[in-house]
């Protein structure tokens, strides 16, 4: 599990990731994204997607592999929703789909200078709990969605309300704090965008495949 990707595959996935960004975005948004990912370049290549072996992609390079898969799935689910006349490109653009998918787990990178996940130095926890990585105690505790928005803010990366909700609600009802958004019976408070549903389906599919 720990050596799931070769060094060459790690670099290849990272290059796919950066190429996607440069192909999709333009102007100030592209400049800000490239500035952020230049900053994280040496860390993001090795970042896992989770910390336990029984979760998804808990190995070096798991983060980017997961992100690329969620982007691919999101675009496929998006096309399905369009085919079913449940969404239009005027409501949700392809750029919005890709931006949201790229950043739905951004907070898992950690802080500006510290990783969120550190290789576990406890053989007992690895053997008995499958806890391959431990949380970095040097970081302030934040929900990783909150850390996502904090990181985007540090690099001046703006996002729309729809993109905010798409990232915030990607975990669907697996996240109890999302219930007020997703189990809302007041018509005026119900979601006005289907983006969170598209992202949740894509992320769930990716996680199940990786598991």
């Amino acid at each position: 599990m720990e050596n799931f990707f070769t060094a060459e595959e790690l670099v290849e996935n990272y290059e796919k990731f950066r190429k996607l960004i440069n192909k999709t975005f333009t102007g100030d948004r592209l400049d800000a994204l490239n500035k952020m990912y230049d900053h994280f370049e040496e860390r993001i290549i090795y970042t896992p997607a989770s910390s336990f072996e029984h979760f998804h992609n808990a190995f070096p390079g798991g983060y980017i592999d997961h992100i690329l898969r969620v982007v691919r799935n999101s675009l496929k689910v998006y096309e399905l929703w369009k085919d079913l006349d449940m969404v239009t490109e005027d409501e949700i653009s392809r750029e919005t789909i890709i931006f949201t998918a790229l950043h739905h787990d951004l907070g898992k990178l950690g802080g500006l200078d510290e990783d969120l996940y550190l290789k576990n130095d406890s053989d007992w926890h690895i053997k008995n709990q499958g806890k391959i990585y431990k949380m970095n105690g040097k970081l302030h505790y934040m929900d990783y969605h909150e850390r996502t928005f904090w990181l985007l803010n540090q690099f001046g990366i703006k996002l729309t309300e729809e993109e905010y909700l798409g990232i915030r609600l990607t975990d669907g009802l697996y996240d109890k704090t999302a219930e007020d958004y997703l189990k809302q019976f007041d018509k005026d408070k119900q979601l006005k965008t289907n983006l969170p549903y598209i992202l949740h389906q894509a992320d769930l599919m990716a996680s199940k495949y990786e598991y």
Side-chain angles (χ1 to χ4, degrees):
M1 180 70 75
E2 188 169 343
N3 298 314
F4 189 86
F5 290 119
T6 65
E8 292 76 14
E9 288 170 333
L10 289 172
V11 172
E12 181 181 350
N13 281 344
Y14 177 72
E15 289 175 346
K16 287 180 183 178
F17 177 80
R18 293 301 296 265
K19 183 178 181 180
L20 175 63
I21 291 169
N22 283 283
K23 182 180 179 181
T24 304
F25 306 103
T26 59
D28 292 341
R29 179 175 254 197
L30 175 60
D31 291 341
L33 287 170
N34 276 326
K35 182 179 179 181
M36 180 172 73
Y37 287 114
D38 285 345
H39 177 85
F40 287 117
E41 183 173 66
E42 293 185 9
R43 290 165 50 194
I44 195 173
I45 292 176
Y46 302 102
T47 299
S50 58
S51 58
F52 287 88
E53 65 179 3
H54 51 281
F55 290 172
H56 64 289
N57 281 19
F59 46 77
Y63 175 86
I64 285 183
D65 179 67
H66 175 69
I67 294 298
L68 290 174
R69 187 168 289 106
V70 174
V71 171
R72 182 200 66 182
N73 291 356
S74 295
L75 291 172
K76 289 181 178 294
V77 174
Y78 174 55
E79 290 302 321
L80 175 62
W81 279 60
K82 287 197 297 182
D83 288 346
L84 297 174
D85 295 323
M86 295 176 68
V87 71
T88 68
E89 290 189 27
D90 290 336
E91 295 172 309
I92 303 174
S93 69
R94 189 173 186 275
E95 178 178 329
T96 287
I97 292 286
I98 295 175
F99 180 88
T100 310
L102 281 171
H103 299 101
H104 77 281
D105 273 348
L106 181 68
K108 292 182 178 181
L109 294 183
L112 292 176
D113 301 305
E114 295 278 349
D115 288 321
L116 176 64
Y117 296 126
L118 300 177
K119 188 174 180 179
N120 204 332
D121 52 5
S122 169
D123 291 337
W124 188 93
H125 284 89
I126 295 173
K127 180 179 178 180
N128 293 284
Q129 296 183 349
K131 194 172 184 180
I132 307 299
Y133 295 90
K134 63 180 181 180
M135 297 301 173
N136 188 343
K138 293 181 181 180
L139 293 173
H140 290 291
Y141 171 75
M142 286 188 197
D143 173 278
Y144 74 87
H145 290 121
E146 294 172 351
R147 189 172 291 282
T148 290
F149 300 126
W150 181 80
L151 287 174
L152 291 172
N153 182 65
Q154 299 310 297
F155 292 91
I157 299 169
K158 296 181 179 180
L159 66 167
T160 66
E161 286 183 284
E162 290 77 15
E163 289 166 346
Y164 175 92
L165 288 169
I167 292 171
R168 175 68 180 77
L169 302 175
T170 294
D171 288 339
L173 292 174
Y174 287 102
D175 176 4
K176 290 184 178 180
T177 67
E179 289 188 3
D180 282 347
Y181 294 90
L182 299 173
K183 295 172 67 174
Q184 183 56 252
F185 299 100
D186 184 329
K187 184 178 180 180
D188 291 333
K189 294 181 180 179
Q190 290 175 355
L191 289 178
K192 297 175 176 61
T193 173
N194 285 319
L195 182 61
Y197 302 117
I198 294 173
L199 262 292
H200 177 59
Q201 290 176 339
D203 186 41
L204 180 62
M205 292 163 65
S207 299
K208 291 298 182 183
Y209 175 84
E210 291 157 8
Y211 179 79

